[in-house]
Amino acid sequence: MSHDAQKVRSFEHPGEGRKRAKSTPKGRQVDPQAAEEIALLLGDRPRRRDLLIEHLHLIQDTWKQISASHLVALADEMRLSFAEVFETATFYAHFDVVKEGEANIPPLTIRVCDSLTCAMLGGEKLLHELQTTVGPGIRVVRAPCVGRCDTAPAAEVGHHFVDRASVASVLAGAKGGDTHAHLPDYIDYDAYVAGGGYTLLKRLRSGELKQEDLLKALDDASLRGLGGAGFPAGRKWRAVLGEPGPRLMAVNGDEGEPGTFKDRYYLETDPHRFLEGTLIGAHVVEAPEVYIYIRDEYPASREILEREIAKLPPGGPVLHMRRGAGAYICGEESSLLESIEGKRGLPRHKPPYPFQVGLFGLPTLINNVETLWWVRDIVEKGADWWKSHGRHDRQGLRSYSVSGRVKNPGMKLAPAGITVRELIDEFCGGMADGHKFHAYLPGGASGGILPASMDDIPLDFGTLEKYGCFIGSAAIIILSAQDSVKAAALNLMRFFEDESCGQCTPCRVGTQKAALLMEKPVWNRELLDELSQVMRDASICGLGQAASNPLTTVIKYFPEEFVPKEAAE
């Protein structure tokens, strides 16, 4: 045999004539104990892909963390790749994934909100003091807005919230083992029915109330999506109905915009008014299944809904509860759908739009909690009743979440188009003692920042856009002369940096670079303006497109913030 032939043969049969190495299984191996634990935990629950996040919550709630061995076992139990399970678990902030070789996480976690209102009222100091005070077995971490801005600063001990938190009150809750959600008093099923609840739904289902008449009432009232986008509700329902079936419905209860807590207020006071609106919407678009997605920061709201849904009489669509896991991006409608399907909350490219291709690829009606909450009142009382409210040539009612430097913060039901000055004086008891009105956010974190001198703008859809702002979900945060608007804008940009899903470069890198530039004592305004424009033009979804609004409005409306103190003196 020639030398060349020997080389070929050697290549074709490597190691021929030598002892073969002992083969070992490839990939991650399932630990038998972990496999048994996961199988017992899931019990007879379905192993469907869309339930992945629900199953991850079961693991997190049971062991206060998610170990690598449990992730492998869950992937095997659900017949998914480890990569699919791992990327989903690590996407959401509330899943504490412990990688191989890492130390276990303490059994109790305290989360301290550091978003704008809580930061203004001492949240950052509280966080630092707790981190240096707590003993072993407790972990203290920062958290983005938890929807309790009216009782800031807020801390969460397990799943129990401590309002107007102090070191003493938080530690008392931790030591006392008070880690479960506290349910407020609310209107339950029997009380709601006694007050005429579900009569409208029965009339619709029986045919006494025609579908077209109901839709006309929504159109005549000009009810718009109250989650922030403001799309006409009646038109959206008609668009979904115009698509070939089968159709589905999803409820966006992922109220994560810093400063916003109105949906929580409605869910924790009158949940059946929301549920009746939901069932009416499902009937109109002929959706046999409804997916209600509630953010993980609202444990009381979820528990109330689970209790009250169980009391509903049989018949009608199936209502599925879905639990968020700490991701602001899931408030964006297509990210919401991805999360309901058990995936990372990455925004989808549009078109197609969700009313065409939505949940599980079917035409899907998506509405915000408050939008559905108003359906019964508008149809029963009439569009003229709704339109009789309003100020400054605006019509309807708005639920304003007011927080910050006011005497009486909270959810304020007020006429649409009210000005911030009227809102403070008439509904909030004026400014907090010792504080002078300086600035305000008219639409939460992404709605921009305006000076007190611009206090006469009607707060409603379409009135703020020409100033570089928008009303969004009507989260009004009031700043006083003791607050720095530059610091407020930086706080908001850091929030967006943390909450960016990372899918598109303009948002992922833009928010990071903007925050770095804003940390400097002197802002490079030209560079920040250019960066803001790129983010607005090229980001996939509204997070990146609107993240720079606080930054650009501070530069535009607060020139005194950029004058060196020496020059000002």
Side-chain angles (χ1 to χ4, degrees):
M1 181 182 295
S2 68
H3 178 67
D4 289 342
Q6 287 179 341
K7 287 201 302 182
V8 170
R9 183 169 181 177
S10 176
F11 177 78
E12 292 173 343
H13 303 281
E16 185 175 349
R18 298 194 298 271
K19 186 177 180 180
R20 292 180 179 271
K22 189 176 181 180
S23 63
T24 57
K26 303 296 183 183
R28 296 176 181 270
Q29 301 307 300
V30 180
D31 177 77
Q33 181 178 343
E36 182 180 1
E37 290 171 345
I38 293 301
L40 287 173
L41 181 67
L42 298 188
D44 58 0
R45 294 178 175 86
R47 270 57 168 174
R48 298 195 316 268
R49 176 68 172 83
D50 64 288
L51 292 173
L52 173 58
I53 293 175
E54 296 298 306
H55 295 343
L56 287 169
H57 274 302
L58 282 173
I59 298 173
Q60 177 76 40
D61 290 344
T62 302
W63 287 285
K64 312 307 177 187
Q65 64 179 28
I66 302 176
S67 68
S69 60
H70 281 150
L71 275 183
V72 174
L74 180 64
D76 183 70
E77 185 74 18
M78 296 186 70
R79 300 295 185 264
L80 297 172
S81 70
F82 177 78
E84 287 179 280
V85 176
F86 181 82
E87 70 179 11
T88 300
T90 54
F91 179 86
Y92 295 93
H94 288 187
F95 293 141
D96 295 317
V97 178
V98 180
K99 300 173 185 176
E100 292 180 2
E102 292 182 346
N104 285 336
I105 292 171
L108 178 61
T109 293
I110 296 174
R111 301 179 189 274
V112 180
C113 178
D114 71 346
S115 287
L116 183 55
T117 304
C118 283
M120 290 164 53
L121 296 174
E124 293 176 344
K125 180 182 178 184
L126 175 64
L127 173 63
H128 175 73
E129 291 180 349
L130 284 170
Q131 288 175 331
T132 57
T133 303
V134 298
I138 301 177
R139 180 182 62 148
V140 180
V141 298
R142 56 176 293 277
C145 186
V146 295
R148 307 187 82 85
C149 316
D150 53 332
T151 55
E156 185 181 13
V157 180
H159 288 299
H160 166 56
F161 282 97
V162 180
D163 295 327
R164 300 180 179 88
S166 65
V167 172
S169 62
V170 173
L171 291 181
K175 291 176 182 177
D178 191 4
T179 61
H180 299 287
H182 291 194
L183 302 191
D185 293 332
Y186 64 90
I187 300 172
D188 65 7
Y189 177 77
D190 291 336
Y192 183 72
V193 172
Y198 292 110
T199 300
L200 181 65
L201 177 63
K202 291 177 181 177
R203 290 178 57 214
L204 181 65
R205 287 177 172 175
S206 68
E208 178 188 346
L209 174 64
K210 302 302 180 184
Q211 177 177 290
E212 182 55 36
D213 292 336
L214 185 142
L215 288 170
K216 186 175 184 302
L218 299 184
D219 290 338
D220 290 346
S222 299
L223 177 65
R224 301 175 69 165
L226 298 172
F231 193 85
R235 192 193 308 175
K236 179 182 283 190
W237 291 22
R238 292 178 190 276
V240 175
L241 189 58
E243 295 293 315
R247 309 176 192 91
L248 294 174
M249 181 176 179
V251 176
N252 189 343
D254 195 62
E255 183 179 50
E257 182 78 7
T260 312
F261 45 87
K262 61 183 179 61
D263 288 353
R264 176 177 63 83
Y265 172 84
Y266 286 122
L267 291 174
E268 294 181 2
T269 55
D270 197 357
H272 282 281
R273 197 170 298 266
F274 153 71
L275 287 172
E276 183 169 11
T278 299
L279 294 171
I280 288 171
H283 181 87
V284 169
V285 301
E286 301 169 7
E289 296 181 77
V290 180
Y291 290 78
I292 303 174
Y293 188 99
I294 304 295
R295 67 186 309 219
D296 197 31
E297 292 85 349
Y298 287 177
S301 299
R302 288 197 319 274
E303 187 170 339
I304 288 170
L305 286 176
E306 288 169 355
R307 287 186 179 189
E308 297 307 309
I309 286 172
K311 298 176 183 178
L312 294 175
V318 178
L319 302 181
H320 303 277
M321 288 292 295
R322 286 291 185 268
R323 178 178 172 186
Y328 167 74
I329 189 63
C330 290
E332 193 275 334
E333 61 177 7
S334 64
S335 301
L336 174 89
L337 299 179
E338 291 288 297
S339 191
I340 291 174
E341 292 179 4
K343 305 171 187 174
R344 293 175 294 168
L346 300 180
R348 298 176 181 177
H349 291 275
K350 303 172 186 176
Y353 296 95
F355 80 88
Q356 300 165 313
V357 180
L359 193 57
F360 307 118
L362 299 176
T364 303
L365 173 64
I366 306 175
N367 276 131
N368 163 263
V369 168
E370 190 199 352
T371 308
L372 295 166
W373 195 92
W374 282 114
V375 168
R376 176 189 166 191
D377 279 348
I378 287 175
V379 177
E380 287 186 343
K381 298 178 180 179
D384 289 341
W385 164 80
W386 177 259
K387 294 165 73 172
S388 68
H389 301 279
R391 291 188 188 176
H392 307 294
D393 299 321
R394 314 302 295 182
Q395 295 179 332
L397 291 165
R398 289 303 304 263
S399 304
Y400 297 96
S401 304
V402 186
S403 65
R405 307 294 191 179
V406 292
K407 191 167 292 184
N408 301 313
M411 203 292 290
K412 311 296 180 180
L413 183 61
I418 195 172
T419 68
V420 69
R421 178 64 71 179
E422 292 169 336
L423 191 61
I424 293 172
D425 293 343
E426 298 176 33
F427 290 83
C428 301
M431 293 291 294
D433 293 339
H435 290 272
K436 180 181 178 182
F437 185 29
H438 177 56
Y440 68 106
L441 282 69
S446 54
I449 304 177
L450 293 174
S453 60
M454 299 173 66
D455 63 355
D456 58 349
I457 304 170
L459 298 175
D460 198 13
F461 292 115
T463 61
L464 293 151
E465 283 75 3
K466 63 182 178 181
Y467 304 107
C469 302
F470 56 78
I471 187 68
S473 56
I476 316 297
I477 303 177
I478 307 298
L479 281 66
S480 79
Q482 298 181 26
D483 302 306
S484 164
V485 293
K486 285 179 68 177
L490 175 58
N491 177 285
L492 299 172
M493 188 59 71
R494 285 173 175 161
F495 169 82
F496 291 125
E497 178 188 2
D498 287 345
E499 295 298 329
S500 172
C501 74
Q503 181 178 195
C504 70
T505 303
C507 177
R508 180 184 67 249
V509 178
T511 52
Q512 178 189 41
K513 297 299 183 185
L516 288 172
L517 289 169
M518 294 165 71
E519 289 172 359
K520 298 182 180 299
V522 179
W523 286 8
N524 186 331
R525 283 179 277 178
E526 182 178 349
L527 185 55
L528 284 168
D529 279 336
E530 183 179 350
L531 183 59
S532 299
Q533 191 63 50
V534 171
M535 292 166 63
R536 283 193 295 271
D537 292 343
S539 295
I540 290 175
C541 79
L543 191 157
Q545 294 164 9
S548 64
N549 285 343
L551 159 64
T552 54
T553 49
V554 165
I555 291 175
K556 182 176 182 180
Y557 296 116
F558 297 88
E560 70 278 4
E561 292 277 340
F562 301 94
V563 178
K565 289 184 178 179
E566 311 81 53
E569 293 171 356

